[in-house]
Amino acid sequence: MEKILFKYIDFPEQYRIDTYIKNGGYRGLPKALEELSPVQIIETVKKSGLRGRGGAGFPTGLKWGFVPKDSQKPKFLLCNADEGEPGTFKDRSLIENNPHQLIEGMIIASYAIGAHKAFIYIRGEFAFGAKRLSEAIGECYKNGYLGKNILGSGFDLDLDVYRGAGAYVCGEETSLMESIEGERANPRLKPPFPASVGLYKNPTVINNVETLSNISHIVLNGGEWFANIGMPKSTGTKIFSLSGHVNKPGNYELPMGITVRELIFEHGGGIKDDRKLKAVIPGGVSTPILTPASLDVKMDFESLYEAGSLLGSGATIVMDETSCIVKAAYRISKFFEHESCGKCVPCREGTRWIRLILERIENGKGREEDIELLRDICTNIIAKTVCPLGDAAAVPIMSSIEKFRDEYEYHIKNKKCMVDLGTRFV
Amino acid sequence: MVTLTIDGKQIIVEEGTTILKAAEKLGIEIPTFCYHDQLETVGACRMCLVEVEKIPKLQVACATVVSEGMVVRTDSPQVVNARKGVLEFLLINHPLDCPVCDKGGECELQNLVFKYGSDKSRFVEGKRRYIVDPKSKYDDLAIGPHIIRNMNRCIQCRKCVRFINEIAGEDDLGTFKRGSKTEINILPDIPIDNPYSGNVTEICPVGALTSKSFRYKIRVWQTEAIPTVCPQCADGCNIRIWKKDERIYRITSRRNDEVDEGFLCDKGRFGFDFVNHPDRLKNPLIKKNGKLSEAPWDETIKFVTSSFMKIKGETGSDSLAGVGSGKVTNEDNYLFQKFFRSVIGTNNIDHRVDSKNLLPSPDTQIRNKYFGMKNTINQIANSKLILVLGCDLEKEHPIINLRVIKARRKGSSILVANPVSTRLNRFAQNGLLYKQRTETDFLNGVLREIIETKQYDNAKSGFSSSEIEDLRRKVSSSDSLKALQTTGIGAENIKSFVNALVKAESIIILCGAEIISNPKNVEIINSLYDLIRLTGHQDKDNSGVNLLWKHSNSQGTLDCGILPDRLPGYVRISGKPGLNFNLMLEAVNQGKIKAMYIMGSDPLSEYPDREYVKSTLGKLEILLVQDILITETAKIANVILPGASFAEKEGTFTNVEGRVQKLNKAFDPLADSKADGQIICLLAQAMGHEFEYRTPKDIFKELTGVSPIYSGMDWETLGLSKKQGKVK
């Protein structure tokens, strides 16, 4: 299958506007501005079935359609480039290697929703990406793709790069807005949703890098073309960030609906040193863990949900038989404790408590009742927090207990790992 | 209107109501920690989670707006478990040091755990500790002059930070770090420095923020709370005195949304030391051989009355004069003027000892220009533009200042014009500094700009064209133009000032002490009325000129006839008026006044020319001072009578907006002191007059009979929130 987003990802100097144009770039934008009305663009995106690639999978066209058309307030488009989910590294590649693909998508999206100001909120650590974007934006202004009267269409747009404030929670959409406004990145209560009350209390659309990168292709080739790729309800391609115990880790752009097996064994070259597969986290660490029994599950929003997990950002973390699930859970819990913003009670207090218990079990001081206690704490967090970070912290722990309870029990009973890590980790 | 069902009970509420408020109406309690109706809703504590039919997740009641046909459960197992979960989370790291915590007994965490929590702990890990000093086992940190922080007890509702940001408009308290390490703190070495800091100790649901003055003094349940009114300024905040025996331990707010909205300034909250001060006057003192020495009451009363009668007999009633005070109650002041008018027989009565420039006295039935506030305190927050003139509002009227900040938050424009910069200038769209005593020139410049640029509202102003022309001629004269140069305010500033004024949908003008005691006070006030008329805002609800008196009962003192030319209720004196304080001083110097009775005032500290007052009062045969402490004036008195503080008496104060509010007695007058009214009665009785009042209630009743503006007020309902009398 021909790649869409990654077609020119390795092309030399694809990040330059000349190269991008030579390789077919900036064709969707003039089409959008000259031939299509904003409503038609939204219809096209709706028809394409494109769903948010940041993790939640919300239909993009629908989201754009929520922006009130009669509002006199300024509207904003935000690109969420705060890629921070452990295991995910696709947006970084899209930004560094093909920034104009994203920018073209953003100009079209801004035109579609009526925004004249757009921001790319890029993870603070992505210094190189921020530089690439700034340079690309500079090229756009010079060539009339940004600024006043874009390509003579009368449409104005200013685009800025905003470097993130250095927290996982900044990637949560309302926290991201707080962060741009100069506040602590704490999530806001929803409703109201950003489409009506977003950045500076104005209507705002916020989309992931991968989502926006698809836009120019959809506009150029039509909604049906995109809808025919992948699965009926999860259309298009998806970039899977494959990591862990595989022979060929990396980003793979594949149609939605390939199986976990295909991804790991055909594209990823199988498990390292031919060891046995123990577990797969299919959508970044915040998604529930899967066992080898799920190898034939298709990787799309619906199939993974049915299998008890989530597609998330498509970051697939592979763990082989030498992995200790308790240790992995402990490591995940440390991450979420560190990244909880502290605003709401269950997440702030629960993440610390979970980490303390897992740390104790890991250190051979677990108690039998700890397993049920952990499950209870997770229950008291899940669906009770202001933003999804609480769920993200509790769900993987909960699922690791469900799927690998025996490992926990072994750990508690024998005060050590079920697997011998001695030679692998020092 | 929206119909919904909560726990099987149906209720109809207005659109936009939250589940929390709707449940409240049904008498269903939904517990909260982070919710505060004056602050923006954050939904952070997750204590108010409720079940809403057709929504899979539990919803926060504080922020979820009701919808037609909504079915809510606040008592389902899911909700009960969620509450238990939140309380467990809050308790795992809480130090549970309730036995030594000042909040014990009134702690929301204690109360809600008692009601909804679990009786077992499942937490076996180490508790989180915020260590302030590694060498100390206590984690207390002073974060301001009045506030101690103990982060270990904090449940992170952030109401303190939100209060400081949203209500006080300050930035000196913030949230630092994140996750389980989140901490409420000040910036390094920059303590909280605002006059509202004490509110955070009251707003804090736990013992994380406690007040230095109250700490470790007493357990809350050993004290008794007495509802009363703050004596510090004219705003008249409703307070509770927490006392045991004859001592005040603390003062907290007794929320009245018409007045204080539940907030106090630090002066009102912490400034009660004077009540139990060791220097309080305990006995009457008579000066003998140049030295004040203690004397029994009967001897002192006899001495005073015989001296008064002797002077009255020798040189007539008008050789005596009385000075009342805006710091004592209406009942005390009423008796005081009655004593002078009916017992002594003179109208030489005044209370305005702080100014040489007195405003004309108002008249009955007419709320004229010199009456005080035209608007209510609550209206301030609704006005689209507020002009603060000649007033350091934060210092003079801290709670009115909060209303101005509130208006700012709601998007109103704030204009400030003062001879010096004030802290309110930070919120001002335009903060002008004029040279002292150039107020009229500045205002003429403003009026001129409005008239010359034809920006006045001809139809609404009601000015005839000839009136406008007169005004134009006055403000555009070459003298006026020259004078404008002296104000120090440039033409550009006047233009932008006027620009804001003429655009505003409503204008409230607040004038402080600088205007009231200004040599050109009448002229200034007239100009302000012209301004309101020119912009078409006269007789509008949220517009008007307001004079902000200084003392807790300044308005009441005026209302009760402590004026040489007005009886209670501003009834004009039929004959020749008495002397005002300035004229009294002249009369003393001329040898015409020989005795003066000063109740609660301290002219030596308040009058603009201290030496003059001192030497003048020194010439009196009898200077009787009645106060609670040895004031500067008391030091030169012949006789001192020990009065009682606000905490020791019953009575009423009329606040700056004319609201009559009741003070209640926390304890009896200390030592051998007596309530001011009682002392006046003793004097009157010794001079052969009846003055039989059992309680201040009797006096108030008589006052409502005499004063047309207080008529119809009922003592029993005074002082209950929202039911106070309000001057008509």
Side-chain angles (χ1 to χ4, degrees):
Chain A
M1 193 222 78
E2 202 186 3
K3 287 174 189 165
I4 302 168
L5 303 175
F6 267 12
K7 190 172 175 186
Y8 295 103
I9 207 76
D10 298 322
F11 197 91
E13 303 206 326
Q14 171 71 8
Y15 57 86
R16 289 192 188 282
I17 196 164
D18 306 344
T19 326
Y20 179 69
I21 292 173
K22 218 177 284 165
N23 286 333
Y26 287 119
R27 302 258 169 88
L29 177 63
K31 184 182 175 191
L33 294 178
E34 286 158 25
E35 296 171 24
L36 301 172
S37 69
V39 177
Q40 283 173 315
I41 295 172
I42 295 177
E43 280 312 311
T44 305
V45 174
K46 276 184 183 165
K47 215 174 275 171
S48 77
L50 176 65
R51 292 171 65 175
R53 302 298 197 233
F58 194 83
T60 306
L62 197 60
K63 193 186 248 188
W64 293 5
F66 287 153
V67 175
K69 289 183 183 50
D70 45 0
S71 168
Q72 292 306 303
K73 290 178 171 178
K75 299 170 187 99
F76 293 106
L77 174 74
L78 302 181
C79 169
N80 188 345
D82 193 60
E83 185 175 52
E85 178 84 2
T88 316
F89 43 87
K90 62 185 177 72
D91 296 341
R92 178 176 175 179
S93 181
L94 286 170
I95 287 166
E96 291 177 0
N97 299 317
N98 205 351
H100 285 286
Q101 181 175 250
L102 168 63
I103 294 168
E104 186 178 1
M106 286 189 75
I107 304 168
I108 297 170
S110 299
Y111 172 67
I113 63 163
H116 299 290
K117 176 87 206 176
F119 292 93
I120 302 171
Y121 186 97
I122 185 166
R123 181 171 169 180
E125 290 88 338
F126 288 179
F128 181 64
K131 188 168 163 269
R132 271 279 156 86
L133 277 173
S134 302
E135 285 166 2
I137 289 169
E139 287 178 318
C140 287
Y141 274 103
K142 218 180 268 171
N143 288 282
Y145 292 106
L146 281 173
K148 296 258 175 260
N149 193 16
I150 293 171
L151 301 179
S153 65
F155 175 66
D156 307 334
L157 178 69
D158 280 313
L159 177 59
D160 268 329
V161 177
Y162 191 100
R163 289 188 62 190
Y168 174 72
V169 76
C170 291
E172 191 280 326
E173 57 183 21
T174 58
S175 306
L176 189 151
M177 290 169 203
E178 289 280 310
S179 183
I180 293 184
E181 290 178 21
E183 302 290 327
R184 270 174 80 86
N186 279 179
R188 299 173 184 167
L189 280 180
K190 287 189 277 192
F193 291 96
S196 48
V197 184
L199 187 65
Y200 299 107
K201 298 197 167 133
N202 294 312
T204 304
V205 162
I206 176 163
N207 287 131
N208 172 260
V209 173
E210 187 184 344
T211 316
L212 288 166
S213 294
N214 272 307
I215 299 300
S216 63
H217 303 287
I218 291 172
V219 166
L220 198 58
N221 301 310
E224 289 86 358
W225 161 80
F226 192 83
N228 282 329
I229 305 166
M231 304 290 285
K233 284 185 176 170
S234 299
T235 58
T237 60
K238 176 84 196 78
I239 300 169
F240 298 96
S241 302
L242 187 63
S243 67
H245 302 137
V246 286
N247 282 317
K248 293 197 297 181
N251 281 322
Y252 295 91
E253 185 185 6
L254 297 163
M256 286 274 195
I258 60 138
T259 64
V260 182
R261 188 188 301 277
E262 282 173 298
L263 177 65
I264 296 173
F265 291 95
E266 280 177 30
H267 301 280
I271 310 290
K272 244 182 155 187
D273 301 336
D274 284 330
R275 282 194 293 266
K276 260 174 70 189
L277 176 70
K278 182 187 261 184
V280 180
I281 302 177
V285 292
S286 63
T287 55
I289 200 163
L290 294 174
T291 63
S294 303
L295 267 177
D296 291 315
V297 170
K298 289 192 166 77
M299 296 200 70
D300 60 69
F301 290 111
E302 282 69 35
S303 310
L304 275 167
Y305 182 76
E306 274 163 37
S309 188
L310 295 161
L311 179 64
S313 62
T316 310
I317 302 167
V318 178
M319 290 188 264
D320 71 17
E321 58 187 326
T322 64
S323 318
C324 169
I325 293 296
V326 177
K327 188 169 183 127
Y330 165 55
R331 188 61 196 83
I332 291 171
S333 75
K334 262 175 90 163
F335 173 78
F336 285 110
E337 183 202 6
H338 186 248
E339 295 297 346
S340 167
C341 82
K343 178 173 176 171
C344 73
V345 176
C347 181
R348 179 182 71 237
E349 303 294 335
T351 51
R352 178 175 184 269
W353 196 2
I354 290 175
R355 190 265 297 167
L356 285 168
I357 294 171
L358 287 171
E359 191 170 75
R360 209 158 31 73
I361 297 175
E362 179 64 15
N363 290 333
K365 288 181 182 149
R367 308 167 304 158
E368 229 177 278
E369 60 266 40
D370 284 338
I371 296 176
E372 276 318 301
L373 180 55
L374 275 174
R375 280 169 49 89
D376 231 26
I377 297 170
C378 290
T379 311
N380 284 338
I381 298 174
I382 293 168
K384 295 181 182 68
T385 53
V386 174
C387 82
L389 199 150
D391 291 3
V395 162
I397 308 301
M398 194 79 153
S399 74
S400 75
I401 295 174
E402 268 162 33
K403 303 276 168 60
F404 298 94
R405 196 182 177 108
D406 54 333
E407 283 207 31
Y408 280 88
E409 282 166 353
Y410 184 93
H411 233 288
I412 289 167
K413 206 170 158 197
N414 300 293
K415 305 191 190 309
K416 61 170 188 177
C417 276
M418 210 162 151
V419 288
D420 182 14
L421 299 170
T423 55
R424 287 180 44 82
F425 298 102
V426 183
Chain B
M1 302 304 274
V2 176
T3 311
L4 74 156
T5 313
I6 306 176
D7 293 346
K9 291 181 207 162
Q10 212 175 56
I11 187 169
I12 299 168
V13 293
E14 265 175 59
E15 246 169 87
T17 310
T18 60
I19 295 176
L20 185 72
K21 288 282 159 198
E24 211 174 87
K25 283 201 178 141
L26 277 171
I28 296 169
E29 185 198 62
I30 298 176
T32 62
F33 284 114
C34 70
Y35 177 78
H36 190 292
D37 64 351
Q38 304 271 5
L39 303 173
E40 267 182 50
T41 305
V42 293
C45 72
R46 317 308 282 178
M47 195 59 203
C48 68
L49 287 171
V50 293
E51 206 177 306
V52 180
E53 216 176 74
K54 293 191 194 115
I55 304 181
K57 284 185 184 182
L58 297 179
Q59 299 293 305
V60 279
C62 65
T64 307
V65 173
V66 298
S67 58
E68 187 60 38
M70 192 184 244
V71 178
V72 179
R73 291 232 70 102
T74 76
D75 54 359
S76 68
Q78 234 196 320
V79 174
V80 169
N81 284 337
R83 281 178 192 165
K84 270 207 172 107
V86 170
L87 288 169
E88 180 177 42
F89 283 138
L90 287 176
L91 278 192
I92 54 174
N93 285 304
H94 192 83
L96 300 173
D97 57 348
C98 312
V100 292
C101 176
D102 272 317
K103 208 75 176 189
E106 53 175 17
C107 169
E108 287 169 41
L109 184 61
Q110 265 186 348
N111 294 345
L112 293 186
V113 170
F114 179 76
K115 213 161 170 183
Y116 304 106
S118 162
D119 54 353
K120 285 189 284 290
S121 170
R122 303 188 291 177
F123 188 73
V124 295
E125 332 297 333
K127 280 187 192 275
R128 173 181 58 223
R129 211 186 122 188
Y130 292 84
I131 296 168
V132 171
D133 175 3
K135 281 175 278 180
S136 167
K137 55 180 177 170
Y138 305 105
D139 298 325
D140 293 340
L141 177 70
I143 56 168
H146 307 291
I147 319 291
I148 304 281
R149 185 205 74 167
N150 183 319
M151 213 34 229
N152 299 335
R153 293 175 186 154
C154 178
I155 59 165
Q156 308 264 9
C157 67
R158 297 192 200 165
K159 280 196 281 201
C160 51
V161 178
R162 285 147 61 206
F163 165 80
I164 293 281
N165 289 336
E166 295 173 26
I167 307 289
E170 304 276 347
D171 305 310
D172 41 15
L173 194 64
T175 318
F176 295 78
K177 301 184 187 167
R178 70 169 184 240
S180 62
K181 292 188 174 76
T182 309
E183 120 171 63
I184 306 299
N185 210 342
I186 50 174
L187 285 164
D189 301 321
I190 306 176
I192 297 186
D193 178 26
N194 72 66
Y196 309 103
S197 71
N199 289 299
V200 301
T201 64
E202 196 173 328
I203 225 171
C204 180
V206 292
L209 297 172
T210 51
S211 95
K212 266 186 194 171
S213 80
F214 181 63
R215 278 163 62 92
Y216 303 140
K217 296 273 182 355
I218 196 164
R219 303 298 339 207
V220 165
W221 56 85
Q222 292 172 326
T223 61
E224 191 190 341
I226 311 295
T228 188
V229 177
C230 180
Q232 299 286 3
C233 82
D235 295 357
C237 298
N238 293 199
I239 59 168
R240 286 193 179 86
I241 288 178
W242 298 73
K243 64 104 185 181
K244 182 172 190 284
D245 300 328
E246 292 179 339
R247 188 176 158 190
I248 300 181
Y249 283 87
R250 67 167 177 178
I251 284 174
T252 61
S253 164
R254 174 170 60 94
R255 181 169 171 175
N256 180 342
D257 283 347
E258 310 281 319
V259 184
D260 48 58
E261 296 193 313
F263 306 116
L264 299 180
C265 72
D266 286 354
K267 197 172 169 194
R269 185 181 299 273
F270 300 121
F272 55 83
D273 293 10
F274 69 93
V275 173
N276 293 103
H277 201 278
D279 291 351
R280 272 286 296 273
L281 289 165
K282 297 179 184 71
N283 298 289
L285 299 167
I286 302 180
K287 197 173 254 174
K288 286 174 189 158
N289 309 323
K291 236 189 89 189
L292 285 165
S293 51
E294 283 185 15
W297 272 103
D298 49 358
E299 189 187 306
T300 317
I301 295 288
K302 216 167 145 192
F303 174 73
V304 170
T305 50
S306 61
S307 307
F308 281 3
M309 282 198 287
K310 185 169 150 264
I311 292 167
K312 184 182 170 180
E314 283 171 7
T315 48
S317 302
D318 287 339
S319 338
L320 290 107
V323 176
S325 164
K327 290 178 269 188
V328 301
T329 63
N330 286 323
E331 292 69 22
D332 296 339
N333 275 317
Y334 171 76
L335 282 190
F336 190 74
Q337 62 84 32
K338 185 176 174 184
F339 174 78
F340 271 90
R341 292 195 162 113
S342 71
V343 178
I344 304 286
T346 179
N347 280 314
N348 292 340
I349 303 161
D350 204 354
H351 68 286
R352 297 162 298 179
V353 299
D354 58 352
S355 173
K356 291 182 183 175
N357 314 297
L358 305 181
L359 287 168
S361 300
D363 279 310
T364 323
Q365 313 299 352
I366 309 166
R367 298 210 61 173
N368 77 355
K369 296 175 177 175
Y370 316 113
F371 195 89
M373 279 184 81
K374 180 195 173 275
N375 302 102
T376 63
I377 290 179
N378 249 351
Q379 282 174 347
I380 296 171
N382 298 331
S383 182
K384 294 288 179 229
L385 183 140
I386 297 156
L387 165 57
V388 179
L389 183 70
C391 182
D392 187 345
L393 200 58
E394 186 185 277
K395 282 208 179 83
E396 292 176 37
H397 298 276
I399 293 302
I400 288 183
N401 189 53
L402 286 188
R403 288 301 212 293
V404 175
I405 296 173
K406 185 178 185 180
R408 180 78 196 87
R409 203 165 61 242
K410 286 163 74 176
S412 306
S413 306
I414 312 297
L415 303 182
V416 180
N418 269 323
V420 291
S421 184
T422 66
R423 272 167 58 91
L424 187 62
N425 285 44
R426 291 169 305 157
F427 300 100
Q429 175 190 329
N430 219 326
L432 298 185
L433 296 184
Y434 56 76
K435 298 243 163 59
Q436 204 168 16
R437 300 286 177 261
T438 63
E439 292 88 353
T440 48
D441 307 319
F442 160 58
L443 289 174
N444 282 341
V446 170
L447 294 175
R448 180 178 163 273
E449 177 70 24
I450 296 176
I451 295 172
E452 295 292 347
T453 55
K454 301 238 175 338
Q455 298 195 70
Y456 54 89
D457 192 322
N458 215 351
K460 284 191 211 145
S461 73
F463 275 124
S464 67
S465 49
S466 68
E467 278 176 304
I468 294 264
E469 185 48 33
D470 285 348
L471 194 56
R472 195 194 66 79
R473 219 173 289 131
K474 188 185 124 202
V475 297
S476 296
S477 71
S478 59
D479 283 353
S480 293
L481 288 173
K482 214 182 284 166
L484 190 55
Q485 311 282 323
T486 65
T487 59
I489 297 174
E492 279 314 299
N493 275 327
I494 299 268
K495 263 194 178 29
S496 66
F497 210 78
V498 165
N499 206 8
L501 284 167
V502 295
K503 271 197 314 210
E505 285 163 39
S506 47
I507 299 175
I508 278 184
I509 301 176
L510 304 174
C511 301
E514 182 75 20
I515 302 302
I516 292 166
S517 60
N518 199 289
K520 292 183 179 169
N521 47 17
V522 171
E523 211 180 315
I524 296 170
I525 292 164
N526 284 335
S527 293
L528 293 173
Y529 270 85
D530 287 341
L531 176 60
I532 290 281
R533 272 186 78 182
L534 273 179
T535 47
H537 294 301
Q538 78 276 27
D539 307 323
K540 274 206 209 160
D541 261 1
N542 297 322
S543 296
V545 180
N546 298 277
L547 309 181
L548 305 179
W549 310 129
K550 196 170 175 184
H551 296 303
S552 51
N553 197 30
S554 289
Q555 182 67 53
T557 309
L558 288 163
D559 292 349
C560 290
I562 305 292
L563 290 167
D565 53 357
R566 295 289 186 275
L567 297 174
Y570 307 103
V571 177
R572 267 174 191 271
I573 300 280
S574 47
K576 199 173 141 257
L579 303 178
N580 65 39
F581 186 67
N582 293 311
L583 297 175
M584 283 178 200
L585 293 178
E586 280 176 33
V588 173
N589 280 322
Q590 292 159 2
K592 287 181 190 159
I593 285 180
K594 295 190 160 46
M596 200 181 280
Y597 177 3
I598 299 178
M599 173 181 71
S601 272
D602 185 11
L604 254 67
S605 303
E606 295 178 58
Y607 196 73
D609 188 345
R610 181 189 167 110
E611 284 314 308
Y612 171 66
V613 166
K614 194 175 173 184
S615 67
T616 306
L617 296 183
K619 292 172 190 160
L620 287 164
E621 269 177 45
I622 295 287
L623 174 59
L624 166 60
V625 172
Q626 183 172 310
D627 217 312
I628 63 170
L629 291 158
I630 289 268
T631 60
E632 289 302 301
T633 312
K635 282 179 189 163
I636 62 164
N638 310 81
V639 185
I640 304 175
L641 296 175
S645 78
F646 82 104
E648 296 144 49
K649 56 183 166 192
E650 215 178 359
T652 58
F653 277 170
T654 306
N655 83 345
V656 66
E657 57 171 349
R659 186 177 300 278
V660 183
Q661 307 188 100
K662 198 159 102 195
L663 277 78
N664 289 305
K665 189 159 97 170
F667 36 78
D668 287 332
L670 296 178
D672 213 6
S673 66
K674 287 184 198 300
D676 295 287
Q678 199 192 345
I679 298 173
I680 300 167
C681 288
L682 287 174
L683 291 170
Q685 283 157 8
M687 291 170 85
H689 286 257
E690 201 170 319
F691 276 66
E692 285 290 349
Y693 304 95
R694 276 170 300 121
T695 62
K697 181 182 166 183
D698 297 343
I699 308 169
F700 185 75
K701 212 171 158 195
E702 188 175 308
L703 173 61
T704 56
V706 172
S707 161
I709 59 170
Y710 282 17
S711 70
M713 285 186 195
D714 174 26
W715 176 265
E716 299 305 330
T717 56
L718 282 178
L720 299 171
S721 280
K722 297 196 173 171
K723 278 192 187 166
Q724 286 96 340
K726 176 90 174 64
V727 172
K728 284 174 267 187

